[in-house]
Amino acid sequence: MRFKLLSGRAIIAIMVCILILMVWYFQRYSISVKRYTIVVPNLPTEFEGFTILHLSDLHSKEFGKNQSWLIKIINQENFDVIAVTGDLIDKRNPRIEPAVKLLQHLKSKQIFFVPGNHEWWVDFQSREELESLGINIMENSSYKLSKGNSHIWILGVDDPYLGRDRLDKALKNVDDSMPKILLAHAPNIFSSAVQNQINLVLVGHTHGGQIRIPFIGPIIAPGQGFFPKFDYGKFDSGFTSMIINGGLGESVLPIRFNIKPEVVLIKLVSEE
């Protein structure tokens, strides 16, 4: 049997395909760690340097066997509590097992969770499994987080993207002026948070646009349309800072470009 040698064009085409596959894989599975320092007025001394691990939008994605790649990254960091801002599952693949494997490893820390649109698109079927892990599911509610003789408030609203958020209800039992941290799935909550002088808002949902064009940014984000204003990173207004997590997974298409999966660490300080 005779074998024909590949032409130069064929070799180049194969090399280009291999390169594209390598870039695609790297962009989807190379995890970055994003760090923020947030100045919080009236922060109790006991909470100086208090650090939150913020995870969002896993979308049933797996990072190695039993989430080993992701867990290895997280194990290298120090943090006090964990905030998970929705879409642990994907409506097209509503497997909770990838999230459970991750959260089982993290449950030595207190975990706060707010549901996203993908949870509700499958009737929040994962609720019981999350509760069995001891996770605090925040649906328009508040939690007084104490440390020593002081405390801060953790607030959580149901998904703003679907219009299920009730910040007024979450604030109902907040009876002092201590710092307030709000968890929500989508950045639609920002204007309400500013009006209520929430110190810090943690959200996800946008995936950072999922595809970010260099020098331009994201083309589209769910709920905001083309060239979204609140796409990724830190935003400030009045007394309020909002951090939009780029997320770990994808929706619609298994593609990321110029926005790697990320875990976020937020350190609270009283002054710069």
Side-chain angles (χ1 to χ4, degrees):
M1 183 181 294
R2 294 184 177 180
F3 294 91
K4 292 183 179 180
L5 293 175
L6 294 174
S7 68
R9 288 184 178 180
I11 292 173
I12 291 172
I14 291 171
M15 291 177 66
V16 168
C17 289
I18 292 173
L19 180 61
I20 290 172
L21 285 172
M22 289 174 64
V23 170
W24 171 82
Y25 190 85
F26 178 79
Q27 291 284 322
R28 282 198 72 204
Y29 290 101
S30 178
I31 304 163
S32 66
V33 179
K34 184 76 173 178
R35 304 175 193 277
Y36 298 90
T37 298
I38 302 296
V39 177
V40 179
N42 200 33
L43 184 71
T45 303
E46 290 91 336
F47 284 88
E48 187 73 34
F50 189 84
T51 300
I52 303 165
L53 172 68
H54 181 201
L55 305 174
S56 196
D57 298 273
L58 182 65
H59 283 281
S60 301
K61 187 174 176 183
E62 296 184 82
F63 291 85
K65 185 177 180 181
N66 296 322
Q67 302 289 17
S68 58
W69 304 344
L70 181 53
I71 289 168
K72 182 179 179 180
I73 294 290
I74 292 173
N75 278 345
Q76 296 172 12
E77 306 298 335
N78 295 312
F79 49 88
D80 298 285
V81 297
I82 302 167
V84 184
T85 52
D87 282 4
L88 284 173
I89 56 93
D90 192 284
K91 70 173 183 178
R92 299 165 186 84
N93 177 28
R95 296 174 57 240
I96 191 60
E97 290 80 9
V100 169
K101 289 174 184 175
L102 173 62
L103 297 173
Q104 281 178 332
H105 179 82
L106 300 176
K107 66 180 183 178
S108 61
K109 301 285 186 178
Q110 205 162 7
I111 302 174
F112 297 90
F113 173 80
V114 290
N117 50 299
H118 280 258
E119 272 82 31
W120 284 116
W121 280 341
V122 292
D123 298 321
F124 203 177
Q125 297 170 4
S126 56
R127 180 193 295 274
E128 289 186 7
E129 288 178 269
L130 295 178
E131 288 177 338
S132 71
L133 293 172
I135 292 171
N136 299 288
I137 298 177
M138 310 287 288
E139 295 176 84
N140 303 318
S141 59
S142 61
Y143 185 95
K144 190 174 185 179
L145 183 63
S146 298
K147 191 174 182 184
N149 295 318
S150 299
H151 68 272
I152 60 176
W153 293 96
I154 305 292
L155 311 175
V157 293
D158 209 338
D159 182 28
Y161 178 67
L162 297 179
R164 301 179 64 94
D165 55 302
R166 287 286 307 277
L167 183 54
D168 58 331
K169 186 176 178 181
L171 286 165
K172 184 177 180 180
N173 294 321
V174 175
D175 55 6
D176 58 38
S177 60
M178 300 308 289
K180 296 180 284 293
I181 299 169
L182 173 63
L183 313 184
H185 177 59
N188 311 52
I189 195 69
F190 190 44
S191 60
S192 295
V194 172
Q195 291 172 12
N196 286 277
Q197 298 187 352
I198 304 297
N199 299 94
L200 175 63
V201 186
L202 303 181
V203 301
H205 184 60
T206 68
H207 307 169
Q210 200 164 302
I211 297 174
R212 298 181 68 87
I213 308 301
F215 309 110
I216 296 176
I219 300 300
I220 193 168
Q224 298 184 64
F226 291 101
F227 304 108
K229 178 181 180 181
F230 298 118
D231 58 327
Y232 173 68
K234 181 172 175 283
F235 298 84
D236 297 293
S237 180
F239 294 96
T240 305
S241 295
M242 177 173 71
I243 293 173
I244 303 177
N245 189 320
L248 290 161
E250 305 86 35
S251 63
V252 183
L253 295 173
I255 296 172
R256 277 183 174 260
F257 181 74
N258 202 27
I259 177 76
K260 295 192 296 182
E262 71 175 18
V263 300
V264 172
L265 291 159
I266 304 107
K267 182 168 72 172
L268 308 183
V269 297
S270 57
E271 59 183 27
E272 296 184 67

